[in-house]
Coordinates of all heavy atoms in Angstrom, one line a residue:
D61 N 104.9 78.1 72.9 CA 104.5 77.9 71.5 C 105.5 78.4 70.5 O 105.3 78.4 69.2 CB 103.2 78.4 71.2 CG 103.1 80.0 71.4 OD1 103.9 80.6 72.0 OD2 102.1 80.6 70.9
A62 N 106.7 78.8 70.9 CA 107.8 79.3 70.1 C 108.4 78.2 69.3 O 108.6 77.1 69.9 CB 108.9 80.1 70.8
W63 N 108.7 78.4 68.1 CA 109.2 77.3 67.1 C 110.4 76.7 67.6 O 110.7 75.5 67.4 CB 109.4 77.8 65.7 CG 110.5 78.8 65.5 CD1 110.4 80.1 65.6 CD2 111.8 78.5 65.3 NE1 111.7 80.7 65.5 CE2 112.5 79.6 65.2 CE3 112.5 77.2 65.1 CZ2 113.9 79.7 65.0 CZ3 113.9 77.3 64.8 CH2 114.6 78.5 64.8
F64 N 111.2 77.4 68.4 CA 112.5 76.9 69.0 C 112.4 76.4 70.3 O 113.5 75.8 70.9 CB 113.6 78.0 68.9 CG 113.1 79.4 69.4 CD1 112.9 79.6 70.8 CD2 112.9 80.4 68.5 CE1 112.4 80.9 71.1 CE2 112.5 81.6 68.9 CZ 112.3 81.9 70.3
N65 N 111.3 76.4 71.0 CA 111.1 76.0 72.4 C 111.6 74.5 72.6 O 112.4 74.2 73.5 CB 109.7 76.0 72.8 CG 109.5 75.7 74.3 OD1 109.8 74.5 74.7 ND2 109.1 76.5 75.1
K66 N 111.2 73.6 71.7 CA 111.6 72.2 72.0 C 113.0 72.0 71.8 O 113.7 71.1 72.4 CB 110.8 71.2 71.0 CG 111.1 71.5 69.6 CD 110.2 70.5 68.7 CE 110.4 70.7 67.2 NZ 109.5 69.8 66.5
Y67 N 113.7 72.7 70.9 CA 115.1 72.6 70.7 C 115.9 73.2 71.8 O 116.9 72.6 72.3 CB 115.6 73.4 69.5 CG 114.8 72.8 68.2 CD1 114.0 73.7 67.5 CD2 115.0 71.5 67.7 CE1 113.3 73.2 66.4 CE2 114.4 71.1 66.7 CZ 113.5 71.9 66.0 OH 112.8 71.4 64.8
I68 N 115.5 74.3 72.4 CA 116.1 74.8 73.6 C 116.0 73.8 74.8 O 116.9 73.5 75.5 CB 115.5 76.2 73.9 CG1 116.0 77.3 72.9 CG2 116.0 76.7 75.3 CD1 115.3 78.6 72.9
G69 N 114.7 73.3 74.9 CA 114.4 72.3 75.9 C 115.3 71.1 75.8 O 115.7 70.5 76.8
Y70 N 115.5 70.6 74.7 CA 116.3 69.4 74.4 C 117.8 69.7 74.9 O 118.3 68.9 75.6 CB 116.3 69.1 72.9 CG 117.2 67.9 72.5 CD1 116.9 66.6 72.9 CD2 118.4 68.2 71.8 CE1 117.8 65.6 72.4 CE2 119.3 67.2 71.6 CZ 119.0 65.9 71.8 OH 119.9 64.9 71.4
L71 N 118.3 70.8 74.4 CA 119.7 71.1 74.8 C 119.8 71.5 76.2 O 120.9 71.1 76.8 CB 120.2 72.3 74.0 CG 120.4 72.0 72.4 CD1 120.9 73.2 71.7 CD2 121.3 70.8 72.2
E72 N 118.8 72.0 76.8 CA 118.8 72.2 78.3 C 118.9 71.0 79.0 O 119.5 70.8 79.9 CB 117.6 73.0 78.6 CG 117.4 73.6 80.0 CD 116.1 74.3 80.3 OE1 115.3 74.4 79.4 OE2 116.1 74.9 81.4
D73 N 118.0 70.0 78.5 CA 118.1 68.7 79.2 C 119.3 67.9 79.1 O 119.7 67.2 80.0 CB 116.9 67.8 78.5 CG 116.8 66.4 79.1 OD1 116.4 66.4 80.3 OD2 117.2 65.4 78.4
K74 N 120.1 68.2 78.0 CA 121.5 67.5 77.7 C 122.6 68.4 78.4 O 123.8 68.1 78.2 CB 121.7 67.4 76.3 CG 120.6 66.6 75.6 CD 120.4 65.2 76.1 CE 119.3 64.5 75.4 NZ 118.7 63.4 76.2
D75 N 122.3 69.4 79.1 CA 123.3 70.3 79.7 C 124.2 70.9 78.8 O 125.4 71.2 79.0 CB 124.0 69.6 80.8 CG 123.2 69.1 82.0 OD1 122.3 69.9 82.3 OD2 123.5 68.1 82.5
V76 N 123.6 71.3 77.5 CA 124.5 71.9 76.5 C 124.4 73.4 76.6 O 125.3 74.1 76.3 CB 124.0 71.4 75.1 CG1 124.6 72.2 74.0 CG2 124.3 70.0 74.9
L77 N 123.3 73.9 77.1 CA 123.1 75.4 77.2 C 122.5 75.7 78.6 O 121.9 74.8 79.4 CB 122.3 75.9 76.1 CG 120.8 75.4 75.9 CD1 119.9 75.9 76.9 CD2 120.5 75.7 74.4
S78 N 122.7 76.9 78.9 CA 122.1 77.5 80.2 C 121.7 78.9 79.9 O 122.2 79.5 78.8 CB 123.1 77.4 81.3 OG 124.3 78.2 81.0
G79 N 121.0 79.5 80.7 CA 120.6 80.8 80.6 C 121.5 81.8 81.3 O 122.7 81.5 81.7
Y80 N 121.1 83.1 81.5 CA 121.8 84.0 82.1 C 121.5 84.0 83.6 O 120.7 83.3 84.1 CB 121.3 85.5 81.6 CG 121.8 85.7 80.1 CD1 121.0 85.4 79.1 CD2 123.1 86.1 79.8 CE1 121.4 85.5 77.7 CE2 123.5 86.2 78.5 CZ 122.7 86.0 77.5 OH 123.1 86.2 76.2
E81 N 122.3 84.8 84.3 CA 122.1 84.8 85.8 C 120.7 85.2 86.3 O 120.3 84.7 87.4 CB 123.2 85.7 86.5 CG 124.6 85.3 86.3 CD 125.6 86.2 86.9 OE1 125.2 87.2 87.5 OE2 126.9 86.0 86.8
D82 N 120.0 85.9 85.5 CA 118.7 86.3 85.9 C 117.6 85.2 85.6 O 116.4 85.3 85.7 CB 118.2 87.6 85.3 CG 118.2 87.6 83.8 OD1 118.4 86.6 83.2 OD2 117.8 88.6 83.2
G83 N 118.1 84.0 85.0 CA 117.2 83.0 84.8 C 116.5 82.9 83.3 O 115.9 82.1 82.9
T84 N 116.9 84.0 82.5 CA 116.4 84.0 81.2 C 117.3 83.4 80.2 O 118.4 83.2 80.5 CB 116.2 85.5 80.8 OG1 117.4 86.2 80.8 CG2 115.2 86.2 81.7
F85 N 116.7 83.1 79.0 CA 117.6 82.6 77.9 C 117.9 83.6 76.8 O 118.9 83.6 76.1 CB 117.0 81.3 77.3 CG 117.8 80.6 76.3 CD1 119.0 80.1 76.6 CD2 117.4 80.7 74.9 CE1 119.8 79.4 75.6 CE2 118.2 80.2 74.0 CZ 119.4 79.6 74.3
R86 N 116.9 84.5 76.6 CA 117.0 85.6 75.6 C 117.1 84.9 74.1 O 118.1 85.3 73.5 CB 118.2 86.5 75.9 CG 117.9 87.2 77.3 CD 119.1 88.1 77.7 NE 119.0 88.3 79.1 CZ 120.0 88.8 79.8 NH1 121.1 89.2 79.2 NH2 119.9 89.0 81.1
P87 N 116.2 84.2 73.7 CA 116.4 83.4 72.4 C 116.5 84.3 71.2 O 117.0 83.9 70.2 CB 115.1 82.6 72.4 CG 114.1 83.3 73.3 CD 115.0 83.9 74.3
Q88 N 116.0 85.6 71.3 CA 116.1 86.5 70.1 C 117.3 87.3 70.1 O 117.5 88.0 69.1 CB 114.8 87.5 70.1 CG 113.4 86.7 70.1 CD 113.3 85.9 68.7 OE1 114.0 86.1 67.8 NE2 112.3 84.9 68.8
N89 N 118.1 87.2 71.2 CA 119.4 88.0 71.2 C 120.3 87.3 70.2 O 120.4 86.1 70.1 CB 120.0 88.0 72.5 CG 119.3 89.0 73.5 OD1 118.3 89.5 73.2 ND2 120.0 89.2 74.6
Y90 N 121.2 88.0 69.6 CA 122.3 87.4 68.8 C 123.2 86.7 69.7 O 123.6 87.3 70.8 CB 123.0 88.5 67.9 CG 122.2 89.2 66.9 CD1 122.1 90.5 66.8 CD2 121.4 88.4 66.1 CE1 121.3 91.1 65.9 CE2 120.6 88.9 65.1 CZ 120.5 90.3 65.0 OH 119.8 90.9 64.1
I91 N 123.7 85.6 69.3 CA 124.6 84.9 70.1 C 126.1 85.4 69.8 O 126.4 85.7 68.7 CB 124.6 83.3 69.9 CG1 125.4 82.5 70.9 CG2 125.0 83.0 68.4 CD1 124.9 81.1 71.0
T92 N 126.9 85.6 70.9 CA 128.2 86.1 70.7 C 129.2 84.9 70.4 O 128.9 83.7 70.5 CB 128.7 86.7 72.0 OG1 128.9 85.7 73.0 CG2 127.8 87.9 72.5
R93 N 130.3 85.3 69.9 CA 131.3 84.3 69.5 C 131.7 83.5 70.8 O 132.0 82.2 70.6 CB 132.5 84.9 68.9 CG 132.1 85.4 67.4 CD 133.2 86.3 66.8 NE 134.5 85.7 66.8 CZ 135.0 84.7 66.0 NH1 134.1 84.4 65.0 NH2 136.2 84.3 66.0
A94 N 131.9 84.1 71.9 CA 132.2 83.4 73.1 C 131.2 82.4 73.5 O 131.4 81.3 73.9 CB 132.4 84.4 74.3
E95 N 129.8 82.8 73.5 CA 128.7 81.9 73.7 C 128.7 80.7 72.7 O 128.5 79.6 73.2 CB 127.4 82.7 73.7 CG 127.3 83.7 74.8 CD 126.0 84.6 74.6 OE1 125.6 84.9 73.5 OE2 125.5 85.1 75.6
M96 N 129.0 81.0 71.6 CA 129.0 79.9 70.6 C 130.2 78.9 70.9 O 130.0 77.7 70.8 CB 129.4 80.6 69.2 CG 129.6 79.6 68.1 SD 128.1 78.7 67.5 CE 128.8 77.9 66.0
A97 N 131.4 79.4 71.3 CA 132.5 78.5 71.6 C 132.0 77.6 72.8 O 132.2 76.5 72.8 CB 133.7 79.4 72.1
V98 N 131.4 78.2 73.8 CA 131.0 77.4 75.0 C 129.9 76.3 74.6 O 130.0 75.2 75.0 CB 130.5 78.3 76.1 CG1 129.8 77.5 77.3 CG2 131.6 79.1 76.7
M99 N 128.9 76.8 73.8 CA 127.8 75.9 73.3 C 128.4 74.8 72.5 O 128.0 73.6 72.7 CB 126.7 76.7 72.6 CG 125.5 75.8 72.4 SD 124.2 76.6 71.6 CE 123.7 77.9 72.8
M100 N 129.3 75.1 71.6 CA 129.8 73.9 70.8 C 130.7 73.0 71.6 O 130.6 71.8 71.3 CB 130.7 74.6 69.6 CG 129.9 75.3 68.6 SD 128.6 74.3 67.8 CE 129.5 72.9 67.1
A101 N 131.4 73.5 72.6 CA 132.2 72.6 73.4 C 131.4 71.7 74.3 O 131.7 70.5 74.3 CB 133.2 73.5 74.4
K102 N 130.3 72.2 74.7 CA 129.4 71.4 75.6 C 128.6 70.4 74.7 O 128.4 69.3 74.9 CB 128.4 72.3 76.3 CG 129.0 73.0 77.4 CD 127.9 73.9 78.2 CE 128.4 74.5 79.4 NZ 127.4 75.3 80.1
A103 N 128.2 70.9 73.5 CA 127.5 70.0 72.6 C 128.3 68.8 72.1 O 127.7 67.7 72.0 CB 127.0 70.8 71.4
E104 N 129.6 69.0 71.9 CA 130.4 68.0 71.5 C 131.0 67.1 72.6 O 131.7 66.2 72.4 CB 131.5 68.6 70.6 CG 131.0 69.0 69.3 CD 130.4 67.9 68.5 OE1 131.0 66.8 68.3 OE2 129.2 68.1 68.1
G105 N 130.7 67.6 73.9 CA 131.3 66.8 75.0 C 132.8 66.9 75.2 O 133.4 66.0 75.8
Y106 N 133.4 68.1 74.7 CA 134.8 68.3 74.9 C 135.0 68.5 76.4 O 134.3 69.2 77.0 CB 135.3 69.4 74.2 CG 135.1 69.4 72.6 CD1 134.8 70.4 71.8 CD2 135.3 68.2 71.8 CE1 134.6 70.4 70.5 CE2 135.3 68.1 70.5 CZ 134.9 69.2 69.8 OH 134.7 69.2 68.5
D107 N 136.1 67.8 76.9 CA 136.4 68.1 78.3 C 137.4 69.2 78.4 O 138.6 69.1 78.2 CB 137.1 66.8 78.9 CG 137.4 67.0 80.4 OD1 137.0 68.0 81.0 OD2 138.1 66.1 80.9
I108 N 136.8 70.4 78.7 CA 137.6 71.6 78.8 C 137.8 72.0 80.2 O 138.5 73.1 80.4 CB 137.0 72.8 78.0 CG1 135.6 73.1 78.6 CG2 137.0 72.4 76.5 CD1 135.1 74.4 78.0
S109 N 137.3 71.2 81.2 CA 137.4 71.6 82.7 C 138.8 72.0 83.0 O 139.0 73.0 83.8 CB 136.9 70.6 83.5 OG 137.5 69.4 83.3
G110 N 139.8 71.3 82.7 CA 141.2 71.5 83.1 C 142.1 72.1 82.0 O 143.2 72.1 82.1
Y111 N 141.5 72.4 80.9 CA 142.2 72.9 79.7 C 142.8 74.3 79.7 O 142.1 75.1 80.0 CB 141.3 72.7 78.4 CG 142.1 72.9 77.2 CD1 143.0 71.9 76.7 CD2 142.1 74.2 76.5 CE1 143.7 72.2 75.6 CE2 142.8 74.3 75.4 CZ 143.7 73.4 74.9 OH 144.5 73.5 73.8

Side-chain angles (χ1 to χ4, degrees):
D61 60 346
W63 69 269
F64 44 71
N65 183 298
K66 65 183 179 181
Y67 302 114
I68 292 170
Y70 173 77
L71 294 180
E72 187 179 4
D73 182 69
K74 305 301 178 201
D75 293 323
V76 171
L77 56 76
S78 58
Y80 293 96
E81 289 179 4
D82 66 359
T84 62
F85 183 72
R86 304 176 196 165
Q88 301 296 342
N89 283 13
Y90 294 130
I91 193 159
T92 67
R93 291 173 49 81
E95 290 170 332
M96 172 73 169
V98 171
M99 193 180 291
M100 289 306 298
K102 287 182 177 181
E104 288 304 304
Y106 299 140
D107 181 11
I108 62 169
S109 59
Y111 186 75

